[in-house]
Amino acid sequence: MTGHERLWAELGLDVPLHNRLLESLGADFQAKVESRKNRPRGMAYFDRVIHAAHGDRVAELVKGRAEGRKIVGTFCIYVPEEICLALDLVPLPLCGGTDFSVPYAENIFPRDICPLVKSTLGLAFSKTCPYAPIKSLAVGETTCDAKKKTWEILSERVPFQVMEVPNKKNARTGALWLAEVREFLARMEEVAERTVSADRLKSAIRLMNRKRAALQEFARLRAAERPPISGLDALVVYQGMLNDEPLRFTENLERLNRELESRIAGKVSPFPAGVRRLMVSGCPAVMGNWKIHSIIESCGGAVVADETCTGSRYFENLVDESAGDVDGMVAALAERYLKVDCSCFTPNDERLRSVESMVDRHGIDGVVQYVLQFCHTYNIEAIRVEKTLKAKGIPQIKIETDYSREDSGQITTRIEAFLEKLGSA
Ligand code: SF4
Ligand code: SF4
């Protein structure tokens, strides 16, 4: 047994099945991402983040837990990470991006729910998620039906907190959300067995603002006339942002940003001049899921922007740092997180404005609306996104898919036709 295998066995994982999962993910990552040419040198760090997710990162978290640092599992970008960090808790997204685990969820759950939910549950049910046994508590939210009904079942098995994300944005729901964030703080203080101090909360807000600012800068660099990095590599960075230790991630991203600046100056790009510039918009593509970006870039397009939760939705808007006391900082956090423009909101005009502005900033030629199967809110909102894009004269295509490979050929044909329609520069 290797050191990691011993660790997984101690955590109660099904080691042979887990090895098969890692083989499948490793082969997919190698074929779709690592084998690409002309990648920035700084991507070596972010590749390691992906490889470490089930190994070294788990060992690091287990060591931290032994030193008293508890882990809080999350499933959505509405959970204010700053509060966890200020209490020395580790917020860790548990969303699954692999097809491998889906059948294990389908034994228990209906088949016709989104693959992200099924993949997440399947990892836990099949004993192949190393984070499930080490978390002290999980935090869900009321964003979509699949998730919120799932929480009822999970909360019977593990300590659970559900944050009520409202469906409208106004003064009344703003007050409701602030109360939810306050309740979240109180629950996290219980888990951490300490109360938050203003100094610790301020430092956590500054750290996350620095991380989000680095991600905004990264997005800005991707908008260069000759994109210095592929959309697949950018996706790897975005997937890492959800798993890695925040300060280490930020320092490495700041370094990568400097490398991208010099690549832009030297006109170094993984794409030929005149490549068609695409934006992926809609559902998240979490770790393990490189499908849509890989298809687009294999067909000769360049993904230069991601209007998703594994993209701009995570890093848009910083937290106002002016408050000096805990109450003021909690209010500033609630304000920032309520700006996230998930399709669970109605109406969701902020998202349409964001799509318009990203199309302009990134010089987008066409938009791929990425909808995970059975994600009704993004699927229906796609109609308004299409209308918004049409008014700007930007072509779009909607791809509704799951995590399987079965429809890859069909999607490839549709993306090829879409790129042909966009023509050459
Ligand atoms: S799509 Fe909505 S529910 Fe899903 S992670 Fe994003 S914000 Fe959360
Ligand atoms: S992709 Fe859609 S259906 Fe799936 S968890 Fe996110 S919001 Fe829910």
Side-chain angles (χ1 to χ4, degrees):
M1 259 195 182
T2 65
H4 282 151
E5 283 175 334
R6 256 193 305 280
L7 174 68
W8 300 325
E10 277 162 23
L11 294 175
L13 298 198
D14 179 335
V15 177
L17 189 65
H18 187 254
N19 279 340
R20 274 176 42 213
L21 165 70
L22 292 195
E23 263 168 45
S24 142
L25 282 173
D28 202 34
F29 187 56
Q30 165 64 29
K32 291 187 172 132
V33 181
E34 289 178 310
S35 59
R36 304 243 155 203
K37 301 274 177 292
N38 200 356
R39 305 179 71 209
R41 278 189 320 280
M43 279 310 296
Y45 174 78
F46 298 95
D47 287 354
R48 277 202 301 279
V49 171
I50 301 283
H51 287 293
H54 277 231
D56 288 349
R57 179 69 173 140
V58 181
E60 178 180 55
L61 292 168
V62 167
K63 184 165 174 278
R65 198 177 57 150
E67 290 160 1
R69 210 165 301 122
K70 293 181 182 163
I71 294 148
V72 175
T74 66
F75 303 93
C76 178
I77 58 170
Y78 277 102
V79 179
E81 295 172 77
E82 291 84 345
I83 288 178
C84 299
L85 296 171
L87 287 161
D88 216 11
L89 301 169
V90 183
L92 202 72
L94 301 177
C95 295
T98 171
D99 199 29
F100 186 91
S101 57
V102 166
Y104 298 92
E106 288 178 342
N107 287 336
I108 301 169
F109 274 66
R111 293 173 70 92
D112 47 0
I113 54 176
C114 131
L116 187 147
V117 173
K118 286 191 287 190
S119 176
T120 308
L121 293 172
L123 286 167
F125 295 162
S126 62
K127 295 197 167 85
T128 53
C129 173
Y131 302 119
I134 60 173
K135 67 181 182 316
S136 293
L137 166 127
V139 186
E141 17 52 54
T142 57
T143 42
C144 70
D145 290 351
K147 281 178 156 187
K148 69 187 172 208
K149 300 313 282 182
T150 297
W151 308 151
E152 292 170 15
I153 293 158
L154 291 191
S155 58
E156 288 170 358
R157 299 170 176 229
V158 292
F160 214 91
Q161 169 83 8
V162 178
M163 297 185 82
E164 181 172 355
V165 175
N167 282 181
K168 286 168 115 179
K169 291 183 186 175
N170 55 40
R172 194 164 36 84
T173 58
L176 166 90
W177 175 242
L178 176 57
E180 288 295 310
V181 176
R182 285 193 181 129
E183 189 181 296
F184 175 72
L185 168 62
R187 184 80 193 265
M188 291 306 107
E189 287 181 330
E190 253 174 53
V191 174
E193 299 176 78
R194 67 177 78 171
T195 50
V196 79
S197 71
D199 283 352
R200 291 292 307 258
L201 191 51
K202 176 135 284 186
S203 311
I205 288 173
R206 285 198 177 128
L207 170 60
M208 288 302 293
N209 275 352
R210 178 176 161 193
K211 177 179 172 183
R212 291 199 166 97
L215 286 158
Q216 289 173 3
E217 174 67 358
F218 177 65
R220 192 187 65 73
L221 294 165
R222 292 178 68 196
E225 193 188 334
R226 297 292 313 276
I229 185 165
S230 70
L232 263 165
D233 277 346
L235 180 63
V236 168
V237 170
Y238 293 150
Q239 291 173 339
M241 82 192 165
L242 299 174
N243 182 276
D244 198 12
E245 195 283 319
L247 178 59
R248 187 173 61 207
F249 171 87
T250 305
E251 287 170 349
N252 278 283
L253 180 57
E254 288 167 348
R255 255 193 295 280
L256 178 64
N257 284 345
R258 289 196 289 275
E259 184 186 348
L260 297 187
E261 274 165 8
S262 50
R263 279 168 72 97
I264 291 169
K267 295 195 175 0
V268 180
S269 172
F271 305 111
V275 68
R276 297 287 82 181
R277 304 165 65 91
L278 301 185
M279 178 164 92
V280 172
S281 169
C283 291
V286 297
M287 209 181 271
N289 175 10
W290 303 286
K291 181 173 171 177
I292 195 72
H293 292 69
S294 162
I295 293 177
I296 294 171
E297 298 198 331
S298 301
C299 291
V303 178
V304 298
D306 291 78
E307 190 277 318
T308 65
C309 302
T310 38
S312 62
R313 209 165 289 128
Y314 177 83
F315 53 76
E316 263 175 356
N317 305 307
L318 304 187
V319 178
D320 180 355
E321 290 184 19
S322 61
D325 61 358
V326 170
D327 272 357
M329 287 183 244
V330 169
L333 282 166
E335 196 186 327
R336 186 262 157 202
Y337 278 87
L338 197 57
K339 285 185 190 150
V340 173
D341 52 13
C342 176
S343 58
C344 64
F345 279 92
T346 180
N348 196 20
D349 295 346
E350 288 96 334
R351 176 163 176 234
L352 304 180
R353 300 297 81 80
S354 176
V355 166
E356 280 179 322
S357 116
M358 284 180 71
V359 162
D360 291 340
R361 277 184 280 134
H362 290 262
I364 298 297
D365 298 310
V367 172
V368 176
Q369 293 210 60
Y370 176 56
V371 178
L372 287 175
Q373 236 173 35
F374 306 114
C375 180
H376 305 311
T377 52
Y378 279 99
N379 204 354
I380 297 171
E381 193 159 278
I383 299 168
R384 293 191 80 208
V385 173
E386 180 178 3
K387 195 167 161 213
T388 302
L389 291 169
K390 198 167 177 192
K392 287 182 77 66
I394 301 293
Q396 66 85 50
I397 182 172
K398 185 177 88 176
I399 304 286
E400 191 186 347
T401 184
D402 58 10
Y403 288 172
S404 74
R405 287 161 203 227
E406 280 161 28
D407 58 356
S408 295
Q410 196 191 34
I411 297 174
T412 301
T413 310
R414 290 186 62 206
I415 295 286
E416 278 169 355
F418 183 60
L419 287 168
E420 219 173 282
K421 181 170 141 193
L422 297 181
S424 54

